[in-house]
Structures are given as C-alpha cells and as structure tokens.
Amino acid sequence: MRTRIAVFVSGGGTNLQALIDAEKKGQIPDGELALVLSSRADAYALKRAEAAGIPTAVVSRKEARDAADFEEKILSSLSAHGIEMIVLAGFMSILSGDFTARFKDRILNVHPSLIPSFCGAGFYGLRVHDAALAYGVKVTGATVHYVNEIPDGGQILLQKAVDILAGDTPEILQKRVMEQAEWILLPKATAMVAKRIRDEKTEK
Ligand code: GAR
C-alpha cells in the first residue's frame, strides 16, 4: 500500500499545489496525499485540497486549550485517516518534541532559506526573505529537512541555491525561491521519503 501522507498548511498552499500536481503526474508513485490539515479555517490551501478531492481537517491553535490539546486533536485526525507521514508546507505552528518523536524521520518541512542561515524560531514566510535581504547575502535558497524537536534543526534532505538580484523585495525574492527551489524540492523529497516508508513496510 502506498504511504499515506498528510500535508499540514496554514496559508496560501502553493507548496501543497506543487505536491498535488506532482502526484497527478505520477511523480510520487509510492505516496498518496490522504489528508490536508490546516491550522486556520480560512487558509486558501483548503480550497486547493477540495478542488483536488483530498479530505481536509481544520485544527485551530487558537481554539485549542493549550499546545497539548492542539496536538491531541491533530493526532486523532491523523489516526482517523491512517496517516503514516507528514509534510509541513507553510505550517505556522511549532510541533513539540513529543509529537515529532512519534513520527521520527516521517515529518518533512520546507524552509525558504539555506539552513543554517535565516532559520529557527521566528523565521517564517516573508520574514526569512526580509532577513536575507537585510544581511546582504547574494545567494539564498530553500531546504527540505526532517523535523525534530529543534525548530529547523532536523537532518537536511535536499537544498537548492537561488540568486538574489538587485532590486529584490521580500515578495519578489519569495516568489523566485518558490519557483526555482521549493516547488521542485518538496515533491522530490516527499517521493523519496514515501518510498523509504513503503519499502520498510514490505521488508517486515
Ligand atoms: C513557503 O515559502 C514556505 O517555505 C514557508 O512559508 C511559505 C508557505 O507558502 N515556510 C516557512 O517559513 C516555515 N518556517 P505556501 O502556503 O504558498 O506553500
């Protein structure tokens, strides 16, 4: 059976769209997008999931009593859908060490810089590109890595460099990093890990 994947989102979901398109093209042969879980009810990513016929769930951090309650709700949704692997694609909540330990080497994240630059708590979305431009680096990029208890600290799977050009704004740079790196790396890494998990099951 193909590896059942949940994609966690909080916003626009362009990385989710890249995964949906890759699955349609047969580029994730060992995985199946089985659930899209959003931390926000108004995330546009949910519309993309619905259009692709993927089941959705909303678990709001604000409506949860605390972090433990939030994660319990997520876990019960994952088990209801038989999820074996998680892809964080613009998910804006940090998961606890307890949570990440349950899915050791089964959670991926895409981060819009070359880790270890411009990463860790507080570096997300446009803030990452803002920081890269403020520092004056000439090359940035994206990283796909396993998720552990350290924000952006898990083992790196794939990275790709992207040039910074004169006149870049955070918005322009974000778009270039997505087009030239994130949307390519994330489906590729997802396919790799889905295959590894499927192979582990058949070996048993
Ligand atoms: C992406 O650039 C992703 O790398 C970033 O948020 C954006 C989500 O866009 N994630 C982080 O900054 C995580 N630290 P999307 O919703 O269009 O995929």
Side-chain angles (χ1 to χ4, degrees):
M1 201 177 86
R2 289 190 292 160
T3 302
R4 291 179 64 78
I5 304 168
V7 184
F8 285 16
V9 296
S10 300
T14 65
N15 278 288
L16 167 66
Q17 192 64 53
L19 289 167
I20 291 169
D21 295 346
E23 186 185 27
K24 257 194 212 136
K25 285 188 224 150
Q27 291 168 350
I28 313 179
D30 300 293
E32 176 182 357
L33 302 179
L35 176 68
V36 170
L37 185 144
S38 176
S39 61
R40 297 178 51 146
D42 61 352
Y44 185 70
L46 289 168
K47 297 226 162 42
R48 298 180 189 271
E50 281 157 22
I54 303 169
T56 60
V58 176
V59 181
S60 157
R61 174 67 186 87
K62 276 184 202 147
E63 282 166 25
R65 275 194 310 279
D66 51 27
D69 181 45
F70 176 60
E71 291 188 351
E72 258 168 47
K73 290 189 165 113
I74 292 176
L75 285 168
S76 79
S77 176
L78 296 182
S79 80
H81 288 87
I83 297 303
E84 307 169 280
M85 166 180 168
I86 298 166
V87 178
L88 307 184
F91 186 64
M92 294 304 168
S93 290
I94 290 178
L95 298 166
S96 72
D98 276 354
F99 188 99
T100 59
R102 283 179 184 243
F103 285 88
K104 189 172 161 12
D105 297 339
R106 285 168 174 246
I107 311 178
L108 300 187
N109 179 47
V110 61
H111 182 77
S113 74
L114 293 174
I115 290 175
S117 289
F118 314 116
C119 64
F123 284 99
Y124 55 85
L126 280 174
R127 288 182 184 212
V128 180
H129 303 294
D130 238 341
L133 291 173
Y135 199 96
V137 293
K138 300 300 173 201
V139 174
T140 184
T143 303
V144 179
H145 61 92
Y146 283 121
V147 175
N148 64 10
E149 70 285 1
I150 303 158
D152 298 327
Q155 188 196 331
I156 291 171
L157 278 154
L158 296 173
Q159 284 188 307
K160 190 163 187 287
V162 174
D163 284 336
I164 291 180
L165 304 178
D168 273 355
T169 61
E171 290 79 9
I172 292 171
L173 184 56
Q174 179 182 53
K175 185 152 184 279
R176 188 180 311 119
V177 169
M178 285 175 158
E179 285 172 354
Q180 295 185 6
E182 295 184 49
W183 300 342
I184 299 162
L185 296 189
L186 190 60
K188 213 171 167 181
T190 300
M192 280 165 47
V193 175
K195 177 173 188 331
R196 197 210 76 218
I197 294 171
R198 187 182 196 175
D199 288 349
E200 283 171 5
K201 281 190 288 188
T202 49
E203 278 161 19
K204 273 179 197 160

